[in-house]
Each structure stands twice: as structure tokens, then as C-alpha cells.
């Protein structure tokens, strides 16, 4: 089936694009959305069609693993939003991170990762990449153009995540990209926090931009999915690497991700507003030592965030003043609106105790508990009240 997917019709305001991209109602009897398309075998009705299907230039591929209408609609939508050349889906965000790295590196290459990169990405680099004879090092997320002291002639990939996991350092992506491109390397970025709406990775020198679509794109905590978008320079390597490793995603999850995309901009505005309300409300609270949110003016990454980002999302860090374990336990017991759980980006708020983050070349130390907060779509006042009441219960009430 040849799809004629809508491109963004007007100038490309995200609200408008999101309502129109990746649709072809004529191909599906007028239905607004691309329905769930199940299929592995794709039949050709003659030899010529079969041969044409196998051409790399053919947008509809020869086999379900290379895509179907759900895959195409989602990949083209994300590529357009990111402003890249093309995108490819993965069964999880982590698979998008690991496959992007594998697609680019050879034995003997040198790879640098931000010291506050997502933990499982760090683990993958230290185990699998190192085992393949790739030299893995980390860089201080705040070093900007000074990364030139760590970049070498064989530096193949510099992997950014901005702001970083758990501690939210903003990286100077253009300055880093300039150095990396100077030695012919690739800049890969985990762009999950900002989404394409709040950070345009390719305008800042990134070659591959990754989304854990599990988070804001799916947006409802009901599917796992990843997607990586490449510029022209990185696209063939990324696509060939993903195909070689057999990476693909199922149509139900893709359907949910496309559905999620339609409301991404309205949801993000509410996540942003709620997180800022919480962050400002908790600044200066007697039980709070530090709020790690790049949109706060006194955050060390604020100037870079303001220069490069179009908004902030719902995820930020919080360091509490030192407290007994029993007090922390009471805090979580009293939270009613925040769940304790992994992942984020869904409609529901989360608060997660994350322990001391693992760092190799930079330092982050907190005397009290470090929490990762995800502000969901609830009412902002309700969220702040719930949080401060739980803090009060932890600090001020005697044990029940
Ligand atoms: C969750 C997350 C991932 C991994 O995504 P999954 O879909 O859970 O595999 C990657 N990067 C960041 C920054 C994340 O928060």
C-alpha cells in the first residue's frame, strides 16, 4: 500500500503539525487515524513489484520487520517534528540508545558519554561496547567546548543527554558538536526530556536524536517504544545498524504512540506548568535542600537552557534535607497523588527515590535523599499541597 501521508500543512506550529502529520485517511476508507495494521508477509502480485519492493528507495518495504503503515506514519511524523532526515522505531527507548551506538562504532573507536547519561545506557557502554574493544570514557556534562581535551582523532561518538538523568545538567550542545565534528565524529543525543517540541536537536549540531517514546510521546504509561532520528550523514548507518540487529516495533504500540503524539503539545504545556509550580513552591521549603530544574534562574544550566530550549518538561530533581529512613518512609506513605515508580512522561505524577547517582568524572553529592519528580497533569495546587503535606508528615509529626 502506498501511503500519502499528510505533511504539516501550514508554517509548522507544533499544535497544528501534531493534528495533521502522519495521516492518510484516503488510504483507509476515510478513517481519521491509520488503523492498527498487523502483518509480517507483504505479498507482491508480480515479479516486477517484488523487485521494486526490495529497492532501498522504496518507502513501503518488502517485509513487516522493515515497517508497515503504522511504522511509516510514526517515523515520518517524528522525523518531521525533530527536523531530521528520517527516523526509525525501536521496541524501547533503551534499544534506540544502544542500537544507535552499535550502528556507529567499530573496534578501536573511542566513545565519550555524558557523565549523567541514563544509567542503562552507561551500563551498556561499559559492558557491551567495552567488550567489543571500544574505548569508553565519560565527560563532565558541564564542560562545554572544553571537551576538546578529551576528544581524540578516533573519537567516533559523543553521546549527550541534556538535561542529564537524575541531576539535570544542561549541556552546551553546539560547542560540543563543533569539536566532535572537527574530528569526524558523530553527536548522538538522548532528547527524551525536552521532546522535539522543546529542543530542536539538529539545529544544535546533533546527528542522531533519540526519544524514549515510552515517556511523553506515548504519554499514558501504557506502551514501551523508542525512536531515533538521523540527519543525512548518519541515516544510512543508523538504518543499516537497526535492520542488521533485527530491531522493530509492534503495530499496537505504534498506534498508541501516534495517538499520544496528537496531544503532545497540550500535555507538555501542563506538565511544564505543574513542574514549575512545584519547583517554585518547594524552593526554600525547610525540608528541601536543592531543586534541580534548569528553568529556575539560579540553576547552573539556566543560561544554556534559556538559549537552546523552547520549554521545560515535567521532570526535575529534588534534594531533601538529611532525614532518617523512617521519615522518608513516612513521606512516601503520605503522598497521595504521586506514585513511586520507574519511567515518567505519563499523565500521572511520580516521585522516585533515586539514591546517589553513579558518576565517573564529575561529582554530585547530596547529603539528604535525592528524588526524581515527574509532575503529571493533575491540578498544580493539588500537587503542591499533597507534596508539602507529605513533607510535613515526614518532618514534623511523631511516628504513628
Ligand atoms: C526511560 C529512559 C530511557 C529508556 O527508555 P525505555 O523506553 O524505558 O527503554 C532512555 N533515556 C532516558 C533519558 C529515559 O528516561
Amino acid at each position: 500500500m502506498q501511503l500519502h501521508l499528510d505533511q504539516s500543512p501550514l508554517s509548522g506550529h507544533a499544535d497544528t503539525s501534531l493534528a495533521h502529520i502522519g495521516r492518510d485517511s484516503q488510504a483507509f476508507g476515510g478513517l481519521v487515524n491509520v488503523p492498527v495494521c498487523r502483518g509480517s508477509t507483504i505479498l507482491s502480485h508480480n515479479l516486477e513489484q517484488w523487485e521494486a519492493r526490495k529497492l532501498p528507495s522504496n518507502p513501503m518495504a518488502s517485509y513487516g520487520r522493515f515497517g508497515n503503515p503504522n511504522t511509516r506514519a510514526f517515523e515520518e511524523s517524528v522525523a518531521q517534528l525533530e527536523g531530521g532526515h528520517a527516523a526509525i522505531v525501536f521496541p524501547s527507548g533503551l534499544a534506540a540508545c544502544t542500537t544507535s551506538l552499535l550502528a556507529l562504532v567499530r573496534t578501536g573507536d573511542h566513545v565519550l558519554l555524558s557523565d549523567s547519561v541514563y544509567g542503562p545506557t552507561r551500563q551498556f557502554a561499559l559492558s557491551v561496547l567495552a567488550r567489543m574493544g571500544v574505548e569508553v570514557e565519560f565527560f563532565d556534562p558541564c564542560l562545554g567546548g572544553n571537551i576538546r581535551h578529551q576528544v581524540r582523532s578516533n573519537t567516533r561518538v559523543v553521546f549527550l543527554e541534556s538535561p542529564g538523568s537524575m541531576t539535570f545538567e544542561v549541556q552546551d550542545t553546539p560547542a560540543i558538536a563543533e569539536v566532535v565534528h572537527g574530528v569526524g565524529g558523530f553527536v548522538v543525543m538522548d532528547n527524551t526530556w525536552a521532546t522535539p517540541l522543546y529542543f530542536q536537536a539538529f539545529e544544535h549540531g546533533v546527528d542522531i536524536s533519540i526519544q524514549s517514546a515510552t515517556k511523553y510521546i506515548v504519554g499514558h504509561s501504557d506502551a514501551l517504544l523508542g525512536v531515533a532520528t538521523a540527519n543525512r550523514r548518519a541515516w544510512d548507518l543508523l538504518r543499516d545498524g537497526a535492520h542488521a540487529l533485527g530491531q522493530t516495533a509492534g503495530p499496537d504500540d505504534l498506534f498508541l504512540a501516534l495517538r499520544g503524539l496528537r496531544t503532545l503539545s497540550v500535555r507538555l504545556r501542563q506538565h511544564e506548568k505543574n513542574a514549575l509550580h512545584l519547583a517554585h513552591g518547594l524552593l526554600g521549603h525547610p525540608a528541601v535542600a536543592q531543586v534541580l530544574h534548569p528553568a529556575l534562574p539560579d540553576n547552573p544550566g539556566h543560561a544554556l537552557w534559556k538559549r537552546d530550549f523552547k520549554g521545560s518538561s515535567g521532570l526535575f530533581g529534588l534534594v531533601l534535607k538529611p532525614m532518617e529512613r523512617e521519615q522518608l518512609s513516612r513521606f512516601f506513605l503520605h503522598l497521595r497523588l504521586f506514585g513511586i515508580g520507574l519511567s515518567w512522561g505519563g499523565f500521572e505524577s511520580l516521585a522516585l527515590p533515586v539514591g546517589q547517582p553513579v558518576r565517573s568524572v564529575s561529582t554530585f553529592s547530596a547529603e539528604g535523599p535525592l528524588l526524581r519528580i515527574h509532575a503529571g497533569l493533575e491540578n498544580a495546587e493539588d500537587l503542591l499541597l499533597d507534596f508539602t503535606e507529605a513533607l510535613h508528615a515526614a518532618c514534623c509529626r511523631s511516628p504513628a
Side-chain angles (χ1 to χ4, degrees), residues 32 50 68 89 109 116 128 142 167 188 197 201 261 294 298 320 322 381 389:
V32 170
W50 167 242
N68 68 18
V89 294
D109 282 343
S116 50
V128 180
C142 301
T167 42
V188 179
L197 269 49
L261 262 190
D298 64 347
L320 299 179
E381 299 289 345
E389 281 182 354

Side-chain angles (χ1 to χ4, degrees), residues 51 69 109 132 161 180 217 221 231 236 287 336 366 400:
E51 285 167 349
D109 282 343
M132 287 170 52
E161 184 185 317
V180 178
I217 293 178
S221 308
N231 58 14
D236 284 354
R336 286 166 305 163

Side-chain angles (χ1 to χ4, degrees), residues 315 332 338-344 348-354 372 374:
L315 194 76
F332 281 108
F338 293 80
I340 309 175
L342 289 176
S343 198
W344 47 276
E348 84 291 7
S349 291
L350 298 168
L352 187 70
V354 294
R372 186 180 72 183
H374 180 249

Side-chain angles (χ1 to χ4, degrees), residues 246-265:
Q247 297 281 10
T248 188
D252 296 272
D253 294 338
L254 289 163
F255 181 90
L256 290 173
L258 259 176
R259 167 189 280 228
L261 262 190
R262 303 297 173 202
T263 56
L264 180 61
S265 61

Side-chain angles (χ1 to χ4, degrees), residues 44-45 51 59 67 92 110 150 169 174 190 194 205 207 230 244 261 268 297 309 334 336 340 380 391 393 398:
S44 300
H45 49 247
E51 285 167 349
S92 70
H110 176 234
Q150 275 183 273
E169 299 91 347
D190 185 330
D207 299 296
L261 262 190
L268 272 181
F309 288 69
H334 277 83
R336 286 166 305 163
I340 309 175
L391 283 176
S398 55

Side-chain angles (χ1 to χ4, degrees), residues 92-94 97 118 161 165 190 192 212 214-215 224-225 344:
S92 70
L94 181 60
C97 295
Y118 179 61
E161 184 185 317
S165 277
D190 185 330
T192 303
S212 165
T214 307
K215 310 294 164 57
L224 286 149
L225 195 72
W344 47 276

